Structures are given as structure tokens and as C-alpha cells.
């Protein structure tokens, strides 16, 4: 499961930090289950006061954030919005508004590869509460679902939101966890914390340093051999990281694996990409960006990376032998593991 993967990745790095600095405990990690996944807060031991009860504060904030945005709570603002799709509009609280604003920005930026109205397809393929289909979904069913997909049919105005077709389903699974991490970071900083890392199901953001001599560092997993780390990334103050992969959440239909990220332009689960790890200035952007790049692939994806403030990416295509492709912007903070030779994606200007 993803939470295990990323937590272990973070802890592996933290363990290295602890091992290197026996002067005092450099970091303290506290984890909890929330939003259908696992979260943790790692407090650094550098200068600045730690915040007492920071994990509890984050847990509260994540729950507060989840209640309006969850597809799994029938009384959530999101479910009310989906239920009123067609007639609309419904009032949107600030968290739903902020998520939708960012979702629309990524919808435009990616030409619809990132599309939060992909919900009917996500469910049809057996994710986000849908039943795993017994056989490959037929073209007819996909055509029908596609008629209800399209981010441009979300109307957001003056605190109200409307879905312009009936039976649309907005699924914020590709963005809401990152957004919640940002909310928590803001809260901890408001309370005076300066050195910490928050991880929510693989969506991470860090501030300060774990100890004065080192930056926060995370490991990028090998999607084909998840115990192996293919490289490490040093994270500067405020940087967010997210990973989208095909190896943790998937269904098997007629013996074939289908990943949980759907290409809204075709209606089919994405093939060809094993993992994408991204950096961005906020965790919400990183979350949306990793899902976007997973759909777009390298060639189209690099253009989107270039449009994001402090955007960077590591792509691992779904083919063997292992290939690791990086954008130039990440080369100064990415250190490849032994035997890994990253290829730099050169883009034409
Ligand atoms: P995870 O949720 O496992 O961290 P991602 O951040 O990549 O992984 O988000 C995948 C989730 O995003 C899916 O489970 C689904 O809820 C939603 N989703 C799937 N395809 C798309 C898409 N093309 N655009 C936006 N959201 C998507
Ligand atoms: Mg994402």
C-alpha cells in the first residue's frame, strides 16, 4: 500500500539522519491513520521550538479538511454537489472552492489529462468505491461515462459551484491529500514550528531541516522492486513532493492489471508509466502534478512541469530494464543510487 511505501521511504531517510547524528535525537516521527491512508509528522531537531502535539493538530486539520471533500461520506459537500449535478448550484466552502480552483487550473494546463470530473470512469474501473468489473469495460459503457466527464462543465462563481450535466461525479482523489498537507503546514507554521515534514499517503511537504547540518531528504522507490531506492532528493525549505505509481492501487481484470489513474481523454486506465515523482512549491500542486504527468507521459509532461513554480520530475516508464528520466531542474537535488544512470529529458524550445 502506498502509505507503507512512502512512510518507509521517509523513515529510511530519517533513519539515516538519526544514524549520522548521534549527538541527540535529530527527529521525532508520529503517525496516524486518516483519509483512508496513513499520515505522519516528523519534527526536526534543528533550531526553533518544536510544536507540542503537532501530529494531533495535523490529524484534526486533515479530518476537518476531509469531511467536505470526501466521496466516502454521503453528507460531504462533495457528495451533495455530485447529487445536485445538472440542476445545481450548491454553496462551496473554502476548502472545496480552493480544490476546485486548482483542479480547473490543472485541467486547462494539461488539456484535460488532469480532470476531477473523471469520477464516473474511476468508479466504472473499480476505484473510489466502485466494484471491480468482471470483464474489461466495454467501449459503449466508456462512451456513456465520457459524456459526463469534462472539467469545463464545472462552474465556480461567487462561492457557488454547479456541475452542468446530470450524473457527473467529481473525484478529488488526485488533489485533496496534497491540499490537506498544505493546510497542516500553514497551521504548524502559524503555531511557530520551523523544522518539520508532513506526509499524507505519499504527499509530503517539509520546512527547515531535520538538523542544522542536513536538508530533509526522501528516497524515490523502484516501482519494479519496491525495497530498492533508485535515488534520493534533497528538499529545500517549503518544497513539496508527490508520487503517482501503477504498482499499489490497481485492479486485475481478466488477468490484466489496470492502474487507478484514468486517461479522461480515452476513458481507459493509463498504461506506459510505472512511477512519477514530482517537486512543486505546494503539496496541492505536487499532488495534481504527479497525477497529471502520469497521464501525459514524459514528452507532454515536461511542458507542464515547466509551467509550475519550482516544478521538477522524475519519470520511470513501465518497461524493463529500468529507465530513470529526469528534468534538468531536478539534477542539482537528485542523487541517483548505485548503478542508476538517469537520462536527462531535453526539451526543444
Ligand atoms: P494516490 O491517490 O494513490 O495518491 P494520485 O495522487 O495519483 O494517487 O491520485 C489518483 C487518484 O486521482 C485516483 O484514485 C482518482 O481518485 C483520481 N484520478 C484518477 N485519474 C485522474 C485524472 N486523470 N485526473 C484527476 N484525477 C484522477
Ligand atoms: Mg496526485
Amino acid at each position: 500500500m502506498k502509505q507503507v511505501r512512502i512512510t518507509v521511504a521517509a523513515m529510511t531517510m530519517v533513519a539515516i539522519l538519526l544514524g549520522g547524528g548521534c549527538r541527540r535525537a535529530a527527529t521525532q516521527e508520529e503517525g496516524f491513520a486518516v483519509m483512508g491512508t496513513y499520515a505522519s509528522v516528523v519534527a526536526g531537531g534543528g533550531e526553533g521550538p518544536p510544536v507540542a502535539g503537532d501530529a494531533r493538530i495535523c490529524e484534526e486539520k486533515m479530518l476537518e479538511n476531509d469531511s467536505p471533500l470526501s466521496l466516502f461520506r454521503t453528507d460531504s459537500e462533495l457528495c451533495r454537489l455530485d447529487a445536485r449535478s445538472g440542476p445545481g448550484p450548491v454553496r462551496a466552502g473554502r476548502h472545496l472552492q480552493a480544490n476546485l480552483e486548482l483542479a480547473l487550473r490543472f485541467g486547462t494546463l494539461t488539456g484535460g489529462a488532469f480532470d476531477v470530473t473523471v469520477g464516473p470512469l474511476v468508479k466504472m474501473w473499480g476505484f473510489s468505491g466502485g466494484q471491480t468489473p468482471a470483464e474489461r469495460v466495454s467501449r459503449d459503457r466508456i462512451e456513456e461515462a465520457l459524456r459526463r466527464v469534462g472539467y469545463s462543465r464545472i462552474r465556480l462563481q461567487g462561492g457557488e459551484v454547479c456541475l452542468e450535466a446530470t450524473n457527473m461525479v467529481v473525484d478529488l482523489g488526485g488533489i485533496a491529500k496534497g491540499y490537506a498537507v498544505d493546510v497542516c503546514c500553514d497551521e504548524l507554521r502559524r503555531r511557530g514550528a520551523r523544522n518539520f515534514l508532513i506526509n499524507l499517503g505519499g504527499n509530503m511537504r517539509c520546512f527547515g531541516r531535520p538538523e542544522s547540518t542536513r536538508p530533509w531528504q526522501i528516497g524515490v522507490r523502484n516501482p519494479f522492486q519496491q525495497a530498492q531506492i533508485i535515488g534520493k532528493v534533497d528538499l529545500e525549505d517549503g518544497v513539496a513532493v508527490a508520487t503517482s505509481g501503477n504498482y499499489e492501487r490497481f485492479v486485475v481484470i481478466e488477468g490484466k492489471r489496470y492502474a487507478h489513474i484514468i486517461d479522461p481523454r480515452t476513458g481507459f486506465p493509463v498504461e506506459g508509466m510505472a512511477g512519477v515523482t514530482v517537486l512543486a512549491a505546494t503539496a496541492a500542486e505536487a499532488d495534481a502534478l504527479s497525477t497529471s504527468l502520469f497521464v501525459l507521459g514524459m514528452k507532454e509532461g515536461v511542458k507542464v512541469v515547466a509551467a509550475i513554480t519550482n516544478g521538477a520530475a522524475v519519470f520511470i516508464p513501465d518497461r524493463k530494464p529500468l529507465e530513470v528520466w529526469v528534468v534538468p531542474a531536478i539534477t542539482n537535488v537528485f542523487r541517483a543510487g548505485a548503478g542508476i544512470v538517469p537520462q536527462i529529458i531535453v526539451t526543444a524550445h
Side-chain angles (χ1 to χ4, degrees), residues 31-196:
F32 49 93
V34 69
M35 288 172 83
T37 184
Y38 184 81
S40 65
V41 180
V42 190
E47 302 95 56
V51 168
D54 50 6
R56 194 187 44 76
I57 293 163
C58 288
E59 187 175 2
E60 257 170 38
K61 281 276 157 202
M62 286 172 188
L63 283 170
E64 185 186 308
N65 201 72
D66 187 40
S67 55
L69 305 180
S70 174
L71 266 185
F72 297 97
R73 297 168 185 247
T74 46
D75 61 339
S76 72
E77 251 178 19
L78 187 67
C79 286
R80 281 207 302 276
L81 172 65
D82 288 347
R84 295 265 307 153
S85 115
V90 301
R91 279 216 74 71
R94 82 189 154 92
H95 291 322
L96 181 57
Q97 274 188 55
N99 272 267
L100 290 176
E101 273 163 18
L102 192 65
L104 294 180
R105 193 178 132 218
F106 270 84
T108 310
L109 206 58
T110 61
F114 185 87
D115 189 334
V116 290
T117 68
V118 75
L121 291 159
V122 172
K123 283 197 170 162
M124 191 172 278
W125 284 99
F127 305 100
S128 291
Q131 289 272 320
T132 306
E135 52 195 37
R136 194 171 191 263
V137 180
S138 71
R139 278 204 179 271
D140 284 354
R141 288 187 66 203
I142 287 177
E143 290 298 328
E144 186 283 319
L146 279 173
R147 285 197 279 277
R148 298 183 275 135
V149 173
Y151 69 92
S152 58
R153 286 190 280 179
I154 301 176
R155 284 270 167 273
L156 190 60
Q157 216 168 30
E160 290 196 323
V161 56
C162 176
L163 305 178
E164 289 183 327
T166 48
N167 296 322
M168 289 177 71
V169 181
V170 172
D171 180 338
L172 297 172
I175 199 168
K177 290 194 286 295
Y179 177 82
V181 168
D182 289 331
V183 170
C184 293
C185 287
D186 291 347
E187 182 62 19
L188 291 192
R189 283 166 60 75
R190 197 182 64 78
R191 290 172 185 249
R194 290 292 168 261
N195 300 292
F196 61 89

Side-chain angles (χ1 to χ4, degrees), residues 114 173-175 203 242-244 286-291:
F114 185 87
I175 199 168
N203 298 280
T243 298
S244 290
D287 196 355
L289 182 62
S290 69
T291 312

